[in-house]
């Protein structure tokens, strides 16, 4: 399974990459905001996107909505420190597979990614 990480924080991207790779999955690209995330999504066609919600230029919710509107098969896991109930509800309504809170709980992230991997293998 190929994964795209979208987060404006270099530290968060590195942490997520290290965790994802320790679970045995491949990170094919990283993006610094939603606009860059859409560009990298079109370029690399990942099966899973891990994204923050709060980012400059284009936030994760806008990116998620745009991507899932054009490709309902891609899975998106939101990883954010801003647990705003309205935004997290909107993320789920617009297709987020899961919403996880930073600092990230490794076991919850692994469980969510493995759930996505099972969904993908069924399709």
């Amino acid at each position: 399974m190929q994964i795209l990480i979208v987060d404006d924080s270099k530290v968060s991207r590195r942490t997520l990459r290290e965790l994802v790779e320790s679970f045995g999955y491949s990170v094919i690209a990283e993006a610094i905001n939603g606009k860059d995330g859409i560009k990298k999504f079109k370029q690399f066609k990942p099966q899973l996107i891990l994204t923050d919600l709060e980012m400059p230029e284009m936030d994760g919710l806008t990116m998620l909505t745009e991507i899932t509107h054009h490709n309902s098969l891609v899975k998106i896991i939101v990883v954010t420190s801003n647990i705003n109930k309205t935004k997290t509800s909107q993320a789920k309504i617009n297709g987020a597979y899961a919403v996880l809170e930073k600092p990230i709980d490794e076991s919850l992230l692994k469980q969510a990614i493995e759930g996505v991997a099972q969904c993908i293998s069924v399709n």
Side-chain angles (χ1 to χ4, degrees), residues 6-8 31-38 55-58 63:
V6 184
D7 199 308
D8 58 317
I32 59 171
N33 59 45
K35 188 174 179 181
D36 189 32
I38 290 171
M55 296 178 286
E57 212 168 320
M58 180 187 285
M63 179 197 71

Side-chain angles (χ1 to χ4, degrees), residues 25-37:
Y25 297 101
S26 174
V27 175
I28 58 166
E30 295 180 9
I32 59 171
N33 59 45
K35 188 174 179 181
D36 189 32

Side-chain angles (χ1 to χ4, degrees), residues 51-70:
T51 186
D52 192 7
L53 281 181
E54 298 296 321
M55 296 178 286
E57 212 168 320
M58 180 187 285
D59 67 13
L61 183 57
T62 303
M63 179 197 71
L64 178 154
T65 303
E66 190 168 321
I67 288 174
T68 57
H69 178 72
H70 295 290

Side-chain angles (χ1 to χ4, degrees), residues 13 49 64 71 83 108:
R13 288 194 312 271
I49 299 171
L64 178 154
N71 183 336
I83 298 295
L108 290 177

